[in-house]
Amino acid sequence: MRLLERMRKEWFMMGIVLAIAGAKLEPSVGVNGGPLKPEITVSYIAVATIFFNSGLSLKTEELTSALVHIKLHLFIQIFTLAFFPATIWLFLQLLSITPINEWLLKGLQTVGCMPPPVSSAVILTKAVGGNEGIVITPLLLLLFIVRRYIKDWLERKKPPFGAISSSVLLMIIYTTFCDTFSNPNIDLDKFSLILVLVIIFSIQLSFMLLTFIFSTRDNSGFTPADTVAIIFCSTHKSLTLGIPMLKIVFAGHERLSLISVPLLIYHPVQILLGSVLVPTIKSWMVSRQKGVKLTRPTV
């Protein structure tokens, strides 16, 4: 029974594995010109569906409330969209002299440029009890306007936005790897893959520690709840928006699947590390909040 519950909870992770395995077994189904016609169904319909779905799933009232925390948002935006990619670029200059597959390294750079997710970081922040500093990408703002006009219908029907986006994303992943496995010239060595996995774990932990140090300084002005939001939202990257972006930017590129591998690894790593650290971070936040209350002068 526990196994079934676990499988239901982690169906998307299992879906990624099955999608890649399916592409390996029968790549001809998902290649350009194949039965699935990914040049149409994926490049246009699937990608548009994910962006449209992501925009509708975000509540306009939550956006209005979140905009009040200007300093928090500025910190997250600057860290994730400027400091993060710049640091990764400098790090990759050192890694370029190593025997790691160059396309995996390019994939690491694309990870650094990705926006934060609108799901996992917020879920983990909620689990701790932190401030939900959702970071919005400009492409989604138009969909907020659309959502305002169909707000009542959405609240009444409660469409499964997450499941829809995840299912469509699995299709994109499947067709991406179909192109890879149908190309005999592409070979991914296990050594590079293992090193990239270790690098991603190290990046995640280092940046989480760095954001914690920055946001807990005496003159930072951030509350413990703000720090929790910063730790998760500044260091997480969106797979749901990232894969479609890569599909658009590298459309037709024979190395697209290799470039997307680091992002596919980064996603489960950020959820795993976040889930493991939730109890520790929650304990820290509660103790800090109690300490703040105790130090307040009584009237």
Side-chain angles (χ1 to χ4, degrees), residues 133-292:
I134 305 175
V135 181
I136 309 302
T137 57
L139 291 174
L140 300 179
L141 291 178
L142 179 61
L143 295 176
F144 276 110
I145 300 172
V146 175
R147 194 186 194 282
R148 291 185 64 181
Y149 291 99
I150 57 175
K151 177 183 175 182
D152 293 337
W153 181 85
L154 290 173
E155 291 182 351
R156 187 171 64 253
K157 296 295 184 180
K158 298 187 185 302
F161 291 116
I164 293 171
S165 291
S166 296
S167 299
V168 174
L169 185 58
L170 289 177
M171 179 183 175
I172 296 175
I173 292 170
Y174 170 72
T175 56
T176 298
F177 277 86
C178 281
D179 287 335
T180 298
F181 294 128
S182 64
N183 189 339
N185 297 322
I186 294 179
D187 182 35
L188 177 59
D189 61 289
K190 294 178 181 177
F191 174 75
S192 291
L193 196 59
I194 292 171
L195 279 181
V196 167
L197 179 61
V198 173
I199 290 168
I200 287 174
F201 261 102
S202 302
I203 289 172
Q204 272 273 305
L205 285 171
S206 299
F207 280 2
M208 290 179 85
L209 179 61
L210 197 59
T211 53
F212 177 80
I213 293 171
F214 281 161
S215 60
T216 54
R217 292 177 304 164
D218 292 336
N219 59 346
S220 69
F222 293 119
T223 66
D226 290 339
T227 295
V228 173
I230 287 170
I231 289 172
F232 290 125
C233 295
S234 297
T235 60
H236 281 209
K237 296 295 182 178
S238 176
L239 179 67
T240 306
L241 298 178
I243 291 295
M245 284 180 179
L246 291 178
K247 196 75 177 178
I248 293 170
V249 175
F250 297 98
H253 200 294
E254 64 174 6
R255 309 284 177 173
L256 173 59
S257 61
L258 293 184
I259 294 172
S260 64
V261 164
L263 184 57
L264 290 171
I265 295 174
Y266 199 95
H267 179 74
V269 167
Q270 69 187 11
I271 293 175
L272 176 62
L273 283 177
S275 300
V276 169
L277 291 172
V278 158
T280 303
I281 295 175
K282 186 172 185 177
S283 176
W284 169 84
M285 189 189 76
V286 171
S287 65
R288 282 294 297 268
Q289 288 176 332
K290 286 180 178 178
V292 170

